[in-house]
Amino acid sequence: MPAATLDPYRKRDSVAGHGEFPLEVKQRLIGMVMEDPRFPEYLYGCYECGICVAACPSARFYDFSPRRIAQAASRRDVELMFQQMQEDIWECSQCFSCLRCPRGNNPGGIITVMREVAVKEGLHSAREALAGYSRIIYKIMSTGTQVSPDMLQPDAFPDWGPEVKDVSENLDLWRRMLPPETLHTTTTGWKVADRTLVELYVIWLETGALDMIAQVDRGIHMILEELMEERLEEEGIEV
Ligand code: SF4
Ligand code: SF4
């Protein structure tokens, strides 16, 4: 059974699916997407030429099309955009190959905005899509870098076969072979300067980026909030 919640959207979302959302809720959420200042920069109408689809890696593997994203957004089709927000947008790999669009559209950018709204509003689809990424979110937001080499372990990446075992066993050696010294670490993607990390913490706290995490994973949010506040306190910075 889904957990009980006071959030009426979330309850409907997790219990009955997106079809149960009232129209005004869909309009509000899609309104947030269209009112985003990036939205008009990412959309100039669509020729339906399909160039973005040909360039899109996700379209090769999933029932997904950046052209459908651009068309729905061009028509301001609230129902279809809301449906895409629940399903299609999570198939995008955010590679931005679709920037080849001759009309100057950025379907991947529209998807970024839609994802942000889905996360901010704590939609079930966002929580489900991000459920397997808690460890990665923690790593990125605590260290200021990305997936670290020591996360490349056979149990985490069984589909890599013997390759990942070889890499994990000789990790130190592989990393020391890399020319830039900032990459001679196995616990972070690269060494981040203390000052940079403190600046990142301030940005994530001040912009509300950290609060977005609370909507999808309260546990990780609490851990990160404590970590960041403690560090900023050491630096004498109040946020
Ligand atoms: S950003 Fe998304 S929509 Fe655009 S090409 Fe990459 S996977 Fe496809
Ligand atoms: S490349 Fe641009 S104009 Fe062509 S289908 Fe895609 S979004 Fe539309």
Side-chain angles (χ1 to χ4, degrees), residues 90-103:
W90 306 105
E91 311 289 12
C92 167
S93 53
Q94 293 282 273
C95 67
F96 298 102
S97 303
C98 48
L99 283 172
R100 287 173 175 81
C101 170
R103 195 74 177 82

Side-chain angles (χ1 to χ4, degrees), residues 45-53 66-67 70 101-103 105 107:
C46 178
Y47 294 144
E48 301 191 26
C49 63
I51 289 174
C52 58
V53 184
R67 180 171 60 91
C101 170
R103 195 74 177 82
N105 295 331

Side-chain angles (χ1 to χ4, degrees), residues 62 89-94 115 119 125-142 145-147 151 156-157 213 216-217 220-221 224:
Y62 305 108
I89 61 170
W90 306 105
E91 311 289 12
C92 167
S93 53
Q94 293 282 273
R115 282 183 176 186
V119 170
S125 60
R127 284 181 286 135
E128 197 173 63
L130 296 174
Y133 293 94
S134 294
R135 211 167 145 227
I136 294 173
I137 292 170
Y138 174 76
K139 199 74 178 183
I140 292 171
M141 295 192 88
S142 61
T145 70
Q146 49 172 305
V147 176
M151 290 167 85
F157 295 89
I213 306 296
V216 290
D217 191 326
I220 290 289
H221 174 263
L224 284 169

Side-chain angles (χ1 to χ4, degrees), residues 8-26 79 82 86:
Y9 309 154
R10 187 174 294 178
K11 190 171 181 184
R12 274 181 228 278
D13 194 9
S14 58
V15 173
H18 60 81
E20 297 301 316
F21 277 87
L23 180 61
E24 61 269 25
V25 172
K26 296 177 185 176
E79 292 286 355
F82 189 78
Q86 295 285 74

Side-chain angles (χ1 to χ4, degrees), residues 52-53 56 58-59 62-71 84 88 107 111:
C52 58
V53 184
C56 174
S58 295
Y62 305 108
D63 179 17
F64 169 78
S65 161
R67 180 171 60 91
R68 288 203 301 260
I69 299 287
Q71 286 179 340
Q84 291 172 340
D88 302 45
I111 288 168

Side-chain angles (χ1 to χ4, degrees), residues 11-237:
K11 190 171 181 184
R12 274 181 228 278
D13 194 9
S14 58
V15 173
H18 60 81
E20 297 301 316
F21 277 87
L23 180 61
E24 61 269 25
V25 172
K26 296 177 185 176
Q27 286 170 331
R28 186 177 70 77
L29 297 187
I30 298 306
M32 287 170 72
V33 173
M34 292 193 284
E35 282 159 21
D36 188 285
R38 292 165 291 180
F39 187 79
E41 297 291 322
Y42 291 165
L43 188 69
Y44 297 94
C46 178
Y47 294 144
E48 301 191 26
C49 63
I51 289 174
C52 58
V53 184
C56 174
S58 295
R60 286 186 213 165
F61 298 103
Y62 305 108
D63 179 17
F64 169 78
S65 161
R67 180 171 60 91
R68 288 203 301 260
I69 299 287
Q71 286 179 340
S74 297
R75 294 200 303 268
R76 307 296 198 256
D77 186 331
V78 169
E79 292 286 355
L80 185 53
M81 286 180 77
F82 189 78
Q83 187 187 333
Q84 291 172 340
M85 204 155 141
Q86 295 285 74
E87 295 164 10
D88 302 45
I89 61 170
W90 306 105
E91 311 289 12
C92 167
S93 53
Q94 293 282 273
C95 67
F96 298 102
S97 303
C98 48
L99 283 172
R100 287 173 175 81
C101 170
R103 195 74 177 82
N105 295 331
N106 181 351
I110 297 168
I111 288 168
T112 305
V113 177
M114 291 169 86
R115 282 183 176 186
E116 285 176 12
V117 171
V119 170
K120 270 184 199 153
E121 293 293 310
L123 289 186
H124 177 68
S125 60
R127 284 181 286 135
E128 197 173 63
L130 296 174
Y133 293 94
S134 294
R135 211 167 145 227
I136 294 173
I137 292 170
Y138 174 76
K139 199 74 178 183
I140 292 171
M141 295 192 88
S142 61
T143 66
T145 70
Q146 49 172 305
V147 176
S148 63
D150 65 2
M151 290 167 85
L152 298 175
Q153 297 298 328
D155 57 337
F157 295 89
D159 53 327
W160 281 27
E163 296 296 327
V164 69
K165 186 168 182 292
D166 187 40
V167 170
S168 65
E169 282 175 356
N170 298 292
L171 207 51
D172 247 355
L173 184 63
W174 291 120
R175 296 295 285 180
R176 274 187 279 118
M177 285 165 67
L178 296 167
E181 283 196 10
T182 49
L183 298 175
H184 295 180
T185 162
T186 57
T187 53
T188 57
W190 60 87
K191 285 179 186 141
V192 174
D194 273 0
R195 187 177 166 75
T196 305
L197 193 57
V198 167
E199 282 177 4
L200 283 170
Y201 285 0
V202 172
I203 291 167
W204 286 327
L205 283 163
E206 288 285 340
T207 60
L210 182 64
D211 287 341
M212 286 171 68
I213 306 296
Q215 297 298 333
V216 290
D217 191 326
R218 286 188 197 283
I220 290 289
H221 174 263
M222 278 169 63
I223 294 168
L224 284 169
E225 189 174 49
E226 200 176 314
L227 179 101
M228 290 181 190
E229 287 179 352
E230 203 172 290
R231 182 60 202 276
L232 294 183
E233 206 177 304
E234 283 168 19
E235 298 287 329
I237 298 172

